[in-house]
Amino acid sequence: DGAAGLSFDKNGNAPVVANDADFTIYESISIVSDCNGELAFYTDGVKVYDASHTLMFNGTGLLGPQENNSNPGAGGSSPNGVLIVGDPSDTTKYYIFTVGETISGGSNGWRYHTVDLSQIGNGSASAPLGEVTSKNNIIYGRVAEGQSAVSNECGDSLWIVAHTYGSDTLLSLPITQSSGVGSVVKTKIGPVLGPGNGCRGSSDFSPNGDKYAMGYLWSNTSGGGHILDFDFSTGLFSNILLMPGTGQGVYGVEFSFDGLSVYLGRWSLGKIDHYNIGTNTLTNVYTGGGIIGDLEKAPDGKIYVGKDKGVTYLGVINSPDVSSGTLSLSLIHISEPTRRTPISYAVFCLKK
């Protein structure tokens, strides 16, 4: 039993099943590959595994989502509990960002950890496999269970964004090539996320980085999905807008490739909705039942959809851009019936 996923190539061929990950996970997994598409390392926010699927040197004890891996879904976890980004000053170094689960009372907060792939680790001098070089650096206390990243066009600076728990504040953390990790910038702008499922949901930046969308299963304000403008030069947000008709139950959030729309996974409602930014309208594009988890753009121009624990398939939105004129959802089955697909995953890699 373990996790399964998909492997993509540069030539546009259909993805193939990758079933060699060495753990089982319910929510939160982040993976990095090198410029040739070969696996570099991956993590669930608690343990880090190198390209040989072995625990990375110093790769345990991360205070991340606190998932109970022996019984996925039984312990606390986070929809976007772990996120990997490249260090803009060094192509061999990475940051891992984690947010602890909050629904069950977790207090690990928002933290970062560092990985250096030039270190030998479990490899050799000629083929190093990397080491975790620092762990559990605190950024902020208790936060909601989503986080996202955005970089500028040239890749020399980026922002990591999270949301406070129990208040209406977005937190933006800068990382630059010249200064490394900076100080948190705060924007006090609704909604209030928390308690309980009010802190649970994903978020995403538009491809050009000027808009940000976030969802949540429940809140003490109406609706479950908002979109905001983002100023990359300052890290501040403005012009918050409730996506009409979203109601409660928004878990997965993903912009289309052209940035003209947002897809919303509706968790236990078993639906996927399509929000058109230009017309400010919401349309249901899938009602197939079952749990709808996180959504993620892939190199093949499609958006993949996490399903509930225990299933052996992913959903796929084949033509997600508004300009394509086609909105369809099909299923892609994982061939190993004993391996499960994670309900939530993160893919963000800077200039690697």
Side-chain angles (χ1 to χ4, degrees):
D1 199 2
L6 298 175
S7 179
F8 299 86
D9 67 19
K10 289 183 173 182
N11 301 317
N13 296 316
V16 297
V17 173
N19 54 27
D20 42 9
D22 196 32
F23 58 55
T24 300
I25 192 68
Y26 180 52
E27 290 178 304
S28 299
I29 182 171
S30 194
I31 304 166
V32 163
S33 57
D34 63 21
C35 59
N36 297 314
E38 298 299 323
L39 177 67
F41 71 97
Y42 58 98
T43 176
D44 61 358
V46 178
K47 298 178 180 179
V48 184
Y49 293 81
D50 63 29
S52 69
H53 304 289
T54 304
L55 277 171
M56 185 176 282
F57 184 84
N58 199 32
T60 61
L62 280 65
L63 295 178
Q66 300 171 301
E67 175 61 87
N68 179 356
N69 287 333
S70 65
N71 187 12
S77 61
S78 303
N80 293 149
V82 58
L83 176 67
I84 303 170
V85 303
D87 184 338
S89 67
D90 191 325
T91 58
T92 67
K93 296 180 180 179
Y94 292 81
Y95 294 97
I96 300 172
F97 290 89
T98 56
V99 293
E101 69 84 22
T102 304
I103 294 174
S104 303
S107 57
N108 280 351
W110 194 22
R111 298 175 182 265
Y112 76 90
H113 326 262
T114 58
V115 170
D116 186 347
L117 292 181
S118 69
Q119 299 298 307
I120 292 175
N122 297 313
S124 64
S126 60
L129 288 174
E131 300 178 3
V132 176
T133 50
S134 73
K135 293 185 288 191
N136 300 322
N137 304 283
I138 189 70
I139 304 167
Y140 199 84
R142 201 174 184 193
V143 294
E145 294 187 352
Q147 58 178 340
S148 294
V150 61
S151 89
N152 62 1
E153 187 174 358
C154 60
D156 62 2
S157 64
L158 63 153
W159 293 92
I160 315 298
V161 171
H163 195 292
T164 56
Y165 175 85
S167 68
D168 61 352
T169 303
L170 279 159
L171 308 170
S172 303
L173 180 74
I175 301 177
T176 64
Q177 189 177 71
S178 58
S179 303
V181 177
S183 300
V184 169
V185 175
K186 299 180 181 180
T187 306
K188 189 176 177 60
I189 189 168
V192 174
L193 299 189
N197 276 326
C199 66
R200 192 179 189 191
S202 301
S203 58
D204 190 35
F205 277 98
S206 61
N208 67 3
D210 67 351
K211 291 190 181 296
Y212 177 79
M214 59 182 181
Y216 36 91
L217 292 183
W218 177 89
S219 76
N220 62 2
T221 58
S222 62
H226 283 83
I227 189 167
L228 307 89
D229 291 334
F230 180 69
D231 185 339
F232 193 93
S233 66
T234 63
L236 296 173
F237 293 87
S238 61
N239 300 324
I240 188 168
L241 175 68
L242 173 67
M243 291 181 246
T246 53
Q248 308 296 345
V250 176
Y251 180 92
V253 177
E254 189 75 1
F255 277 89
S256 58
F257 288 86
D258 60 14
L260 300 179
S261 56
V262 182
Y263 287 88
L264 305 172
R266 303 302 300 276
W267 191 243
S268 60
L269 299 178
K271 302 193 303 179
I272 297 175
D273 290 335
H274 170 265
Y275 173 68
N276 186 308
I277 297 173
T279 61
N280 191 33
T281 54
L282 191 78
T283 305
N284 175 251
V285 294
Y286 175 77
T287 306
I291 296 293
I292 300 293
D294 205 4
L295 298 89
E296 191 70 45
K297 290 188 288 292
D300 61 355
K302 301 177 181 181
I303 292 177
Y304 287 81
V305 182
K307 298 289 287 182
D308 198 9
K309 60 182 182 290
V311 303
T312 57
Y313 58 87
L314 294 169
V316 55
I317 301 172
N318 292 296
S319 303
D321 285 351
V322 172
S323 57
S324 71
T326 303
L327 300 174
S328 63
L329 183 83
S330 60
L331 299 177
I332 182 166
H333 287 263
I334 302 299
S335 61
E336 294 288 334
T338 61
R339 289 185 173 264
R340 295 181 274 205
T341 61
I343 199 168
S344 180
Y345 32 80
V347 179
F348 183 94
C349 180
L350 177 66
K351 71 176 182 60
K352 301 298 181 180

